[in-house]
Each structure stands twice: as C-alpha cells, then as structure tokens.
Amino acid sequence: MNHVTRRAALGIAAATPFMTLGEAAHADPIVIKFSHVVSPDAPKGKAALLFKQLAEKYTDGKVSVEVYPNSSLYKDKEELEALQLGSVQLLAPSISKFGPLGVKEFDVFDLPFLMSDDAHARQMMASPMMADFNKKLEDKGVEPLAYWDNGPQLYTANVPLIMPDDFRGLKMRIQGSKVLDAVARQLGALPQIIAFGELYQALQTGVADGEDNVASNIWTQKLYDVQKNLTVSNHGRLTYSLITNVKFWNGLPADVRPGLDRAVKETTAFFNDTAAKDNEDALNQIKASGKVQVHVLTDTEKQAWIAKLMPVHKEMEGRFGKDFIEKIYKASGFVPPQS
Ligand code: LMR
C-alpha cells in the first residue's frame, strides 16, 4: 500500500470505529499507475487525465488512477518492462516500440505510406486481423485494451527535406521499429534509436539532426525550437495501444471491471476525436511561431518519396513474409503503386 492509500485507509478506519477489517480493506482503492512519455497537453496526455476522471467516477472511487506524464516514471523501453513486471498498470505506447517485447509483427505498420491517411489507418485498426496482433501481445502478458490513432507523421530536421536525397548523411532519430530503421537507411540517413524523453536534448545538441513525429508532439515538446525545417510528408502513422498487464486486468474484482471498460471506451472515443484537431492546431501554431520553415510535399515530390521508399516494402518481405504483407495491404486498403 503506498502512503497516500494507507493514509486514506487509516483516515476512513479512524472516522468509522465500528468498521470491520474486511470493510476497511474494501475501502482501500486499487491504484492504477498510468505512465506515458508525452506532455499532459498532447492528445495522449489529455486522454490519460480523462481516463483517470472517468475510471474513478465509474468505479465509485474503488479505483484511484495516478498519471505520470513526460517520462517522469519510465522512458520508452523501461515502461514496457515495468508493465510486464507489474510495476505500472497502464501505458499507451506507440506500437512502433513493441519489437523488444518479442512481437516484431507490429513494425509492419511502419511500412512507408501504408496508412498515410485517416481512412486507411482506421480501416486497418478496425480489421479482424488485429485479433492476431492482440493475441501476440497477450502471449507476452500484455493486454491491449484499445488502439488510439494519433495521425500522420511529419519530418523535422535542421535542413529542408524536399526530395529523398536531402536525407543523405543525416542522423535521424527513430523509434525502435526495424521498418523505421530500414526507411532511414533507404533514404541514406543514419538511424538512431532515441527515447522520446531524450529527443529534445538530442536535437538541441546535434546528437540527431532530425526526426519524424505528429504535429502535436512537435508542438508540445517544443521540438520546433531546436529544428529549422518541417516537411508535411504524411509518410507514416503514429498509433498507440492502450495496454495493461494481463494478470492485473483479469484479477480485478468483478464490480470494478465494467466501470473501467466503460472508461476505456469513452476515453478511446475522446482520443480519436481529439487527435486530428490537435495536430491541425499544433501545425498552425508551429507555423505562427515563425521558428521553422514548413514545406508541404507537392504531388511530384510525394511520388519521388514513394518511388524511393517502396523498395522497403520489398525488403521487408524477408522479415514478415510476402503473404503477410499482402494481407496487411488488403486489410488497410493500401494499393501499392505499379512499378
Ligand atoms: C515518439 O517516440 O516519437 C512517440 O512515440 C512519442 C509518443 O508517445 O507520442
């Protein structure tokens, strides 16, 4: 019991001297630690706070949610280990970080331009194929409760990124996905896995020259302060999975689960309604800051990027199998360009 819940329990016991021990234990809230790496003002940060409010309300205070934003409890890789060990109960990491759990299949969603618009991304995440992905996580002790679509990825750097050759020799920060590693290499860049919590400093000190992210992260982490250029490339997607520990979730008392399930459902709807608007607002604010030069890829430029990056799809047949990639195309509605 942490000192807050212990104090609360003692306070209740002192106020009601005739309470039995069983009742006192029941009054002790179940603590859910929800750790994440973004700002409280980013869509995931807002969703975490909403979840806290809803979960506590719908369980009549039987659950107390503690939210730890901005990597204040754990960074990218540590948080997944902590969840498996039961030190934290809720996370919402990017699915591009699931490789180290031993579920390499999630990296497939990073194939360039696969889910570059809302329709393809939502179609993929709603597809029956996701049940197979969920099963893989469950086998690792991780229960996916929902998928949250945070929108298209944009590139930032300290040089303009207009054509694929512009990446040559740049140190690009990537998330842990092997597909993102292959994308950077195909562009002639040097990929570096850096935890999100260390990204600002890495860009500020030149450890990395650039990175890709959604506009709301670029804005709320102030990455625009340490980058000169931003390209609206929409080459990938930032998808989160709200995950918990299988044993913890299945062990919750029967009178608590329905309230939490309802909180998950409503928070997911909030997230999916909020992210696109937040990204739009963030991009406008970044432009208005005057600190970065914003470039939107023209159709011709985009075709050059697609032509350069489609070989990564081919290369990844070696990792995932051609059949699997074709099933993903079908599920997401992606039609590969004729070469
Ligand atoms: C990143 O590492 O760039 C993102 O996954 C961070 C996040 O959680 O939005």
Side-chain angles (χ1 to χ4, degrees):
M1 198 190 304
N2 66 30
H3 78 278
V4 178
T5 48
R6 185 192 299 276
R7 259 206 339 247
L10 287 175
I12 290 166
T16 52
F18 302 113
M19 195 179 253
T20 66
L21 268 181
E23 279 165 333
H26 180 73
D28 217 13
I30 297 165
V31 175
I32 294 186
K33 291 186 182 169
F34 188 163
S35 172
H36 67 79
V37 299
V38 302
S39 155
D41 299 327
K44 177 160 58 186
K46 293 182 196 171
L49 292 173
L50 177 68
F51 177 80
K52 169 182 169 61
Q53 198 189 318
L54 296 177
E56 291 176 357
K57 180 170 145 198
Y58 295 151
T59 61
D60 294 323
K62 292 191 187 90
V63 161
S64 165
V65 181
E66 296 172 0
V67 178
Y68 298 89
N70 265 330
S71 310
S72 54
L73 194 59
Y74 298 111
K75 291 184 187 162
D76 290 351
K77 198 163 169 278
E78 301 159 3
E79 66 174 15
L80 290 170
E81 288 162 4
L83 186 88
Q84 284 180 304
L85 290 171
S87 313
V88 66
Q89 290 71 39
L90 263 189
L91 307 172
S94 154
I95 62 177
S96 307
K97 294 176 183 168
F98 280 171
L101 283 174
V103 284
K104 66 175 188 179
E105 292 80 1
F106 278 87
D107 291 0
V108 80
F109 299 120
D110 290 319
L111 286 174
F113 297 100
L114 175 75
M115 304 197 296
S116 49
D117 65 35
D118 294 3
H120 288 99
R122 303 271 163 114
Q123 182 175 334
M124 183 66 238
M125 289 302 138
S127 125
M129 248 191 117
M130 289 314 292
D132 301 338
F133 285 86
N134 293 345
K135 174 80 179 58
K136 296 209 180 293
L137 283 177
E138 283 154 18
D139 291 346
K140 303 289 173 191
V142 173
E143 178 77 37
L145 301 173
Y147 288 95
W148 294 352
D149 172 30
N150 200 5
Q153 298 276 44
L154 321 175
Y155 272 113
T156 66
N158 47 25
V159 293
L161 299 172
I162 314 295
M163 294 299 273
D165 268 359
D166 297 332
F167 284 85
R168 232 161 243 298
L170 295 185
K171 290 171 282 174
M172 294 302 288
R173 179 269 174 171
I174 57 162
Q175 304 180 72
S177 154
K178 291 280 189 265
V179 175
L180 295 178
D181 182 274
V183 168
R185 288 181 198 283
Q186 173 67 10
L187 290 166
L190 309 164
Q192 315 213 0
I193 300 173
I194 295 171
F196 187 68
E198 289 161 10
L199 181 53
Y200 180 93
Q201 208 185 356
L203 295 170
Q204 188 182 37
T205 56
V207 168
D209 299 312
E211 58 91 48
D212 58 345
N213 233 303
V214 292
S216 58
N217 274 343
I218 298 168
W219 175 246
T220 54
Q221 294 292 318
K222 300 195 171 30
L223 304 184
Y224 62 91
D225 258 347
V226 287
Q227 295 279 266
K228 294 194 179 73
N229 300 84
L230 183 156
T231 301
V232 179
S233 45
N234 299 351
H235 57 282
R237 202 86 189 167
L238 182 58
T239 309
Y240 302 138
S241 181
L242 179 67
I243 52 176
T244 186
N245 178 301
V246 170
K247 273 203 197 122
F248 168 76
W249 199 250
N250 291 341
L252 284 168
D255 61 344
V256 156
R257 268 292 292 277
L260 291 184
D261 289 339
R262 183 171 170 202
V264 166
K265 210 165 161 220
E266 290 181 21
T267 307
T268 299
F270 164 83
F271 186 94
N272 289 334
D273 287 348
T274 304
K277 174 83 177 74
D278 278 18
N279 279 328
E280 196 186 317
D281 290 350
L283 190 58
N284 287 334
Q285 283 164 302
I286 292 166
K287 281 181 191 158
S289 76
K291 294 202 168 174
V292 286
Q293 193 72 35
V294 174
H295 178 77
V296 181
L297 287 187
T298 64
D299 281 349
T300 315
E301 289 156 3
K302 191 164 182 173
Q303 288 319 312
W305 285 49
I306 292 173
K308 179 74 183 180
L309 289 173
M310 278 313 290
V312 174
H313 288 233
K314 188 94 197 126
E315 180 189 339
M316 287 298 136
E317 287 176 6
R319 186 166 177 78
F320 302 113
K322 195 170 189 289
D323 287 359
F324 182 71
I325 291 186
E326 276 170 5
K327 276 191 202 153
I328 292 285
Y329 286 172
K330 237 187 168 163
S332 64
F334 176 75
V335 181
Q338 298 303 318
S339 49

